[in-house]
Amino acid sequence: MSVIPISTLDHPGVEVFSHLTDHQLRNKLQPDQGIIIVESPKVIRVAMQSGYTPLSLLCEQRHIEGDAADIIAQCGDIPVYTGDRELLARLTGYILTRGVLCAMRRPQPPTVEEVCKGASRVVVIDGVVDTTNIGAIFRSAAALGIDGVLVTRNACDPFNRRAIRVSMGSVFLVPWTWLDGPEDGSGNPAEGSGNPLDTLRHLGFRTVAMALTDKSIPLDAPELKREPRLALVMGTEGDGLPHETIASTDFVVRIPMAHGVDSLNVAAAAAVAFWELRK
């Protein structure tokens, strides 16, 4: 290993952990050069076991032969930046969780067809922008048997640092990709502008909008469980799914509730739906 003590926030090489924005880490102009930041030894181990490539580490001195020792031993000759707890807190803006951060190579996303191959249950995350909700949805998807996740471009990046942390590494366990195709150099979808759900129908899925409408059916309706392939569509935290998206789905579904409560947080609703409609 190559341990590099740092005593200043301007040390070359550590800017990836502190100064680069999520947009810069994604490197939209050169997606094959993108980077993700993974926090805590447990989550770093999940990423490495899933085949993600570490580029550098930032950790407290005491963790080099402690919590991060096994990780460092598997990383080869990558830089391991280290400093005292206070310096690293100033560098990252907060006290590190278990004192370890890892910069990893961001992989090329698979195609929608690759994510859906052999899948019977997938979820579409449409416009959800809260990183905590994204992470929680991925964690529930992994735990409750969802085969793949499809994310619209107006939703939060699942490889956002906080989303990764909240998911406890589940973003590395469940196959996922962007639903509406790769972006062009201006950050816009590069492929056709048709309804993204049409792609899922072409792949043999019936689509299920989680929404409150006059035509919605209960989540435990028997006809839903009989469907061999379902795509559950979850909407944004505030306004829910767009009306045109709801109108284009095969089913509109509600979760029956008590005490006059009309809705759940999107992450909680996703977990309930995943459990009820699991194969």
Side-chain angles (χ1 to χ4, degrees), residues 123-135:
V123 60
V124 176
I125 300 177
D126 187 339
V128 176
V129 296
D130 183 87
T131 55
T132 299
N133 284 334
I134 289 285

Side-chain angles (χ1 to χ4, degrees), residues 183-204:
E183 296 178 347
D184 61 21
S186 302
N188 299 311
E191 295 184 348
S193 57
N195 187 334
L197 297 183
D198 290 340
T199 301
L200 293 172
R201 291 193 188 88
H202 178 72
L203 295 173

Side-chain angles (χ1 to χ4, degrees), residues 104-117:
M104 291 185 160
R105 179 67 65 207
R106 185 187 185 105
Q108 285 292 303
T111 66
V112 172
E113 290 77 8
E114 288 170 337
V115 169
C116 293
K117 184 177 181 180

Side-chain angles (χ1 to χ4, degrees), residues 2 4-9 11 13-18 37-41 44 55-61 63-64 68 71-72 78-85 87-94 96-103 161:
S2 178
I4 305 172
I6 63 172
S7 58
T8 172
L9 303 184
H11 195 287
V14 299
E15 64 277 354
V16 67
F17 297 106
S18 59
I37 303 298
V38 185
E39 182 176 336
S40 89
I44 293 169
L55 301 174
S56 62
L57 283 163
L58 173 69
C59 67
E60 296 177 31
Q61 177 69 42
H63 291 307
I64 291 178
I71 294 170
I72 293 172
I78 66 170
V80 179
Y81 301 101
T82 185
D84 62 44
R85 187 178 181 88
L87 176 66
L88 300 191
R90 295 206 309 275
L91 178 66
T92 58
Y94 52 87
L96 297 183
T97 301
R98 301 295 296 277
V100 187
L101 291 176
C102 184
R161 183 186 300 187

Side-chain angles (χ1 to χ4, degrees), residues 152-217:
T152 62
R153 290 285 180 181
N154 59 341
C156 169
D157 179 11
F159 281 155
N160 171 281
R161 183 186 300 187
R162 179 168 175 79
I164 293 173
R165 184 167 72 248
V166 172
S167 81
M168 292 302 294
S170 295
V171 294
F172 306 123
L173 299 177
V174 183
W176 75 272
T177 195
W178 302 107
L179 181 58
D180 53 359
E183 296 178 347
D184 61 21
S186 302
N188 299 311
E191 295 184 348
S193 57
N195 187 334
L197 297 183
D198 290 340
T199 301
L200 293 172
R201 291 193 188 88
H202 178 72
L203 295 173
F205 285 88
R206 302 294 296 282
T207 53
V208 179
M210 299 295 297
L212 298 173
T213 73
D214 294 336
K215 297 181 179 180
S216 62
I217 62 175

